[in-house]
Amino acid sequence: MATVKVKFRASSVLAKEGKVFYQVIHNRVVRQVNPGYKLYPSEWDTVNAEIVFSPGTGNGRRVYLTSLKCALEEDVKRLKNIITRLERAGQNYTAEEVAERFLMSPDTEGFISFGRELVQQLKQIGKIQTAERYTTVLNSFGRFRKEKDVLLEEVDSNLMVEYEIFLNANDVCPNTSSYYMRGLRAIYNRAVEKELTVQRSPFKHVYTGIDKTVKRAVPLKIIRQIQDLDLSLYPVMDYARDVFMFSFYTRGMSFVDMAFLKKKDLQNSILSYRRHKTNQQLFIKWEKPMQELIDKYDTTGSPYLLPIIKSNGKDERRQYKSEAHRINRNLKKIGEQLGLAIPLTTYVARHGWASIAKSKNIPIATISEAMGHDSETTTRIYLASLDTSAVDKANRLILKSL
């Protein structure tokens, strides 16, 4: 196996900086690699092959030497990873080849660059949602890395623990942190499948589970207050409220499903659509409040039932996502106006419908069918996360018995 040594060559000119370089030795052949780092002779310990600080070193120079010390450690680690990869391939290689690979841009074998390339491939085969998810997690990881890529060989447990600490320090909640980690894990596993790296299980010490979310349902009286608010002087908030109410009227229809509803989906007073999440087909009896809401907006010339996607055929997915952010931003303002303890979003309409249905003793099977869940088990889990009243009542009884 090839070996790596760090060397220093003093300048022939007195009081001038010398050069630090690497020696790659394989099969008795030595190849030198010059990274361009410079030092004074007094700053180099030849015996231990490391940077040292003299007593008179100023703060500015000390910062430079500290960063240079880190750079040397990273370079040596990278050279050794290149050697390991070549050894694992089981083919003959030379010291020259190790040096050439080191001098190549890290982006050619980087984790982030691999992920970006994967995103483009997913877009080409129509997997837009997965591509968008990977883009989101790569953007977050890129911020952590300060946009500096990392070799696939260097993606290990320590790196991911550092990333998790970074997320925690930036007040990212556990579920969002887990979302990023699971996305990065999927990208990493694709690299392993392509035999670009070996499986090092870098995510074994970070959280990749899903915590119970904070209760996001509101009672019927709050839904009435939202419905009855006079927002005529605030058109954008009025529109956001109408989208919220349309979701509630249609048994908690998700925003993406509302955005892509077409006029042809409404036939003979029956609204039919397929859930984007499960592809399950649902049918809803068209009621008066739904029609009154639709009548408020002019969608002439548009195939869509609601004015969420305004430019037909022009990156509709981008339009609906942009509109979702805008609507939820205005819904939060409405929630603050009402003094709600939770942020008001379109999700609250869906959760509210389910919770209210349960409070009216509507069977779980009916609620499950209405919401398009794939099983009653899903609905039970869903409702359990929304309603803690039974547990709260039990706790109250116990406390009263003290």
Side-chain angles (χ1 to χ4, degrees):
M1 178 182 277
T3 58
V4 179
K5 294 181 180 179
V6 186
K7 298 285 185 176
F8 173 75
R9 183 184 296 117
S11 173
S12 58
V13 180
L14 197 63
K16 188 176 180 181
E17 292 175 310
K19 295 180 180 179
V20 178
F21 63 94
Y22 308 124
Q23 278 188 349
V24 180
I25 308 164
H26 186 51
N27 293 335
R28 299 182 181 179
V29 176
V30 180
R31 172 68 163 85
Q32 289 188 4
V33 181
N34 181 13
Y37 305 141
K38 294 183 178 182
L39 291 171
Y40 291 108
S42 61
E43 297 168 336
W44 184 253
D45 180 348
T46 303
V47 176
N48 296 308
E50 64 179 12
I51 294 172
V52 293
F53 302 90
S54 59
T57 304
N59 288 336
R61 189 66 181 176
R62 186 174 290 272
V63 169
Y64 167 75
L65 293 175
T66 301
S67 63
L68 187 54
K69 196 169 186 176
C70 292
L72 291 177
E73 291 174 356
E74 287 187 9
D75 285 353
V76 170
K77 181 180 179 181
R78 187 172 167 222
L79 280 163
K80 289 181 177 180
N81 281 332
I82 290 170
I83 292 167
T84 300
R85 190 158 54 248
L86 290 169
E87 288 281 343
R88 194 175 64 246
Q91 299 176 347
N92 292 329
Y93 66 93
T94 64
E96 178 74 22
E97 188 174 355
V98 174
E100 287 177 353
R101 290 203 176 200
F102 174 79
L103 293 172
M104 290 170 63
S105 168
D107 290 348
T108 59
E109 296 176 305
F111 176 63
I112 295 176
S113 59
F114 170 77
R116 303 280 187 210
E117 185 178 330
L118 181 59
V119 165
Q120 294 306 314
Q121 293 171 358
L122 290 167
K123 287 181 178 178
Q124 289 172 3
I125 61 175
K127 294 189 175 181
I128 305 300
Q129 284 182 297
T130 305
E132 289 179 347
R133 179 190 176 198
Y134 288 177
T135 298
T136 299
V137 300
L138 287 168
N139 286 343
S140 171
F141 187 69
R143 288 191 292 273
F144 158 67
R145 290 285 303 169
K146 297 180 179 177
E147 305 309 324
K148 181 181 178 183
D149 210 341
V150 56
L151 291 171
L152 285 164
E153 298 292 332
E154 296 173 1
V155 177
D156 57 19
S157 179
N158 289 336
L159 178 66
M160 289 305 153
V161 169
E162 289 174 11
Y163 176 46
E164 186 174 59
I165 293 170
F166 166 82
L167 293 174
N168 291 340
N170 284 276
D171 297 324
V172 174
C173 73
N175 276 350
T176 301
S177 176
S178 174
Y179 176 84
Y180 291 152
M181 291 297 180
R182 285 180 281 120
L184 291 176
R185 183 175 61 188
I187 294 170
Y188 179 81
N189 287 340
R190 292 290 287 272
V192 173
E193 288 173 9
K194 292 177 179 289
E195 299 184 352
L196 298 176
T197 187
V198 296
Q199 180 60 264
R200 291 181 176 80
S201 303
F203 302 89
K204 61 185 176 183
H205 294 309
V206 295
Y207 181 65
T208 56
I210 301 175
D211 281 352
K212 282 187 176 181
T213 55
V214 177
K215 180 180 177 181
R216 290 186 285 186
V218 292
L220 188 57
K221 68 175 184 179
I222 297 298
I223 298 293
R224 286 199 191 100
Q225 288 178 13
I226 295 170
Q227 177 183 248
D228 296 339
L229 271 176
D230 182 5
L231 297 170
S232 55
L233 296 178
Y234 310 96
V236 291
M237 291 173 67
D238 188 38
Y239 167 58
R241 184 265 308 278
D242 286 345
V243 172
F244 177 93
M245 292 308 305
F246 187 84
S247 172
F248 186 82
Y249 295 155
T250 53
R251 307 186 320 226
M253 187 184 297
S254 68
F255 185 81
V256 64
D257 291 330
M258 287 191 292
F260 288 95
L261 281 178
K262 292 191 173 180
K263 293 173 181 175
K264 66 179 182 180
D265 295 331
L266 179 58
Q267 301 285 339
N268 301 318
S269 297
I270 299 294
L271 180 66
S272 63
Y273 72 99
R274 287 191 179 275
R275 286 198 69 199
H276 275 67
K277 187 174 182 179
T278 63
N279 201 39
Q280 183 178 355
Q281 188 164 20
L282 299 178
F283 300 92
I284 299 174
K285 178 75 169 64
W286 195 248
E287 303 288 352
K288 183 181 177 182
M290 304 174 194
Q291 187 62 49
E292 289 175 345
L293 193 151
I294 293 297
D295 288 342
K296 283 181 64 174
Y297 299 94
D298 183 9
T299 56
T300 305
S302 171
Y304 294 105
L305 193 62
L306 291 164
I308 296 172
I309 298 174
K310 298 177 175 64
S311 298
N312 187 28
K314 294 183 180 179
D315 201 346
E316 293 159 338
R317 185 169 178 79
R318 182 186 293 273
Q319 289 184 65
Y320 112 76
K321 291 189 73 175
S322 175
E323 198 71 358
H325 288 302
R326 188 178 298 110
I327 288 170
N328 280 326
R329 187 166 59 247
N330 284 296
L331 284 175
K332 286 177 183 177
K333 292 178 183 178
I334 294 173
E336 290 168 1
Q337 183 177 327
L338 293 173
L340 299 186
I342 60 171
L344 187 64
T345 68
T346 54
Y347 281 113
V348 176
R350 180 170 176 80
H351 294 180
W353 190 92
S355 180
I356 292 166
K358 183 187 178 186
S359 71
K360 293 188 174 297
N361 298 317
I362 294 173
I364 297 294
T366 303
I367 298 174
S368 180
E369 183 180 352
M371 303 194 73
H373 286 160
D374 52 9
S375 71
E376 286 186 34
T377 302
T378 301
T379 309
R380 290 181 189 279
I381 294 171
Y382 187 86
L383 290 170
S385 70
L386 299 178
D387 185 13
T388 60
S389 58
V391 178
D392 292 339
K393 183 178 179 181
N395 187 48
R396 193 179 304 115
L397 289 172
I398 291 170
L399 294 180
K400 283 183 177 180
S401 67
L402 287 174

